Amino acid sequence: MQQNTSHPFHPSAGTAPVLSARDLTRSFGSTTALDRLGLDIQVGESLAIMGPSGSGKSTLLHTLAGIERPDAGSVLFRDPSASTGPVEIAALGESARSRLRRGSFGFVFQAGLLIPELTAIENVAMALMINGVSRAAALPRAAEWLRALGLAGMEERRIGQLSGGQAQRVAIARAQVTGATVTFADEPTGALDSATSSEVLDILIDATVGRGNTLVMVTHDPQVAARCHRVIHLLDGRIQHDAGVPTPGAEARS
Ligand SMILES: Nc1ncnc2c1ncn2[C@@H]1O[C@H](COP(=O)(O)OP(=O)(O)O)[C@@H](O)[C@H]1O
Ligand SMILES: [Mg+2]
């Protein structure tokens, strides 16, 4: 698979992974969604997660992001922008995980995360306001992100008054306005036509990896995956295939 040449990836040797999963296991009844899965994700990397329906993609994404807790195993998060040490996400309680998600992670899903009753700018500002930023301080920062993503003039529109591609740009702005260290995307272009999909993907990659941050994305679209540095294929909750740059942390695990 081709790498995205507009964002060449040069992991600095010895840099600790931003996320390290070890022995991640999650079952739903007799279904094993994650089967002792291990994965290191490097700072600045874009990672595509592929695999057939039911192979564990969403469960992996949600577990890495602290939305779901595994039955067993660990997820270590090392925020390169923080002075604090690594955080064991899987061991945190609900409210600590929620704080971590709000402060350090961004989310772009296929649909449904934007609040239809709010305007574009309010949806973006909301991500800051739930982190304690005042409305007066949040709105200009939200406007700046909307402008950067090509939505100047659309600030006061409600989500229903935007096209699918425009709404996904609002979702990207909302995910980035807090300075997310890692952005998690689940089929972010799944509901878009191919031209719009390509445009939104450009913006998503620019806004994350283009700024030195990390992107973890579930997709079933090989063209979308081909734009990422690295592609992993899941089957029955395990990594069946891992293609892309070698991960420096992988051979020197402590
Ligand atoms: N909340 C849940 N309750 C019961 N089964 C679930 C739940 N979430 C996921 N599963 C099951 O776990 C497996 C993996 O699901 P998922 O991670 O959503 O796969 P994918 O995203 O690759 O389609 C599937 O068999 C799915 O049916
Ligand atoms: Mg899924």
Side-chain angles (χ1 to χ4, degrees):
M1 240 167 228
Q2 266 192 342
Q3 286 192 19
N4 174 11
T5 47
S6 63
H7 294 286
F9 184 53
H10 303 294
S12 42
T15 303
V18 63
L19 284 167
S20 297
R22 292 290 176 274
D23 294 319
L24 277 190
T25 301
R26 180 76 198 267
S27 299
F28 298 99
S30 60
T31 304
T32 305
L34 294 176
D35 187 5
R36 290 161 294 161
L37 187 147
L39 177 66
D40 281 335
I41 302 173
Q42 306 301 323
V43 176
E45 185 171 55
S46 53
L47 172 72
I49 303 171
M50 299 191 79
S53 177
S55 58
K57 304 181 296 296
S58 295
T59 305
L60 174 59
L61 193 85
H62 295 164
T63 307
L64 291 172
I67 296 171
E68 292 184 37
R69 267 173 101 163
D71 298 329
S74 67
V75 179
L76 208 60
F77 170 57
R78 298 180 187 81
D79 187 344
S81 67
S83 50
T84 49
V87 178
E88 176 43 60
I89 297 178
L92 296 176
E94 184 63 51
S95 66
R97 275 185 290 130
S98 160
R99 252 194 322 277
L100 180 74
R101 289 195 302 267
R102 289 199 309 262
S104 300
F105 296 158
F107 295 92
V108 181
F109 290 164
Q110 185 168 330
L113 286 185
L114 298 173
I115 302 168
E117 291 79 15
L118 300 182
T119 61
I121 194 169
E122 286 170 336
N123 266 282
V124 178
M126 188 59 73
L128 290 166
M129 288 158 67
I130 61 174
N131 278 301
V133 178
S134 72
R135 185 179 168 92
L139 288 173
R141 285 169 64 184
E144 207 174 297
W145 266 100
L146 289 176
R147 201 164 45 241
L149 301 192
L151 293 175
M154 312 257 172
E155 295 85 352
E156 301 305 327
R157 292 213 194 167
R158 291 183 203 286
I159 302 309
Q161 299 171 311
L162 297 171
S163 70
Q166 289 166 342
Q168 275 311 61
R169 292 183 197 215
V170 175
I172 293 167
R174 201 200 52 153
Q176 301 311 312
V177 71
T178 54
T181 297
V182 183
T183 297
F184 296 93
D186 199 345
E187 299 279 7
T189 61
L192 306 174
D193 64 70
S194 68
T196 310
S197 163
S198 168
E199 236 174 70
V200 166
L201 190 62
D202 281 342
I203 286 167
L204 179 61
I205 289 172
D206 261 344
T208 54
V209 179
R211 294 169 180 248
N213 293 315
T214 305
L215 175 64
V216 182
M217 175 165 63
V218 167
T219 182
H220 66 262
D221 184 342
Q223 289 188 3
V224 170
R227 304 282 309 279
C228 292
H229 298 122
R230 179 179 168 204
V231 184
I232 61 172
H233 290 263
L234 296 192
L235 188 65
D236 299 334
R238 300 182 197 198
I239 297 176
Q240 190 194 27
H241 189 245
D242 186 341
V245 293
T247 56
E251 56 282 10
R253 272 170 201 169
S254 52

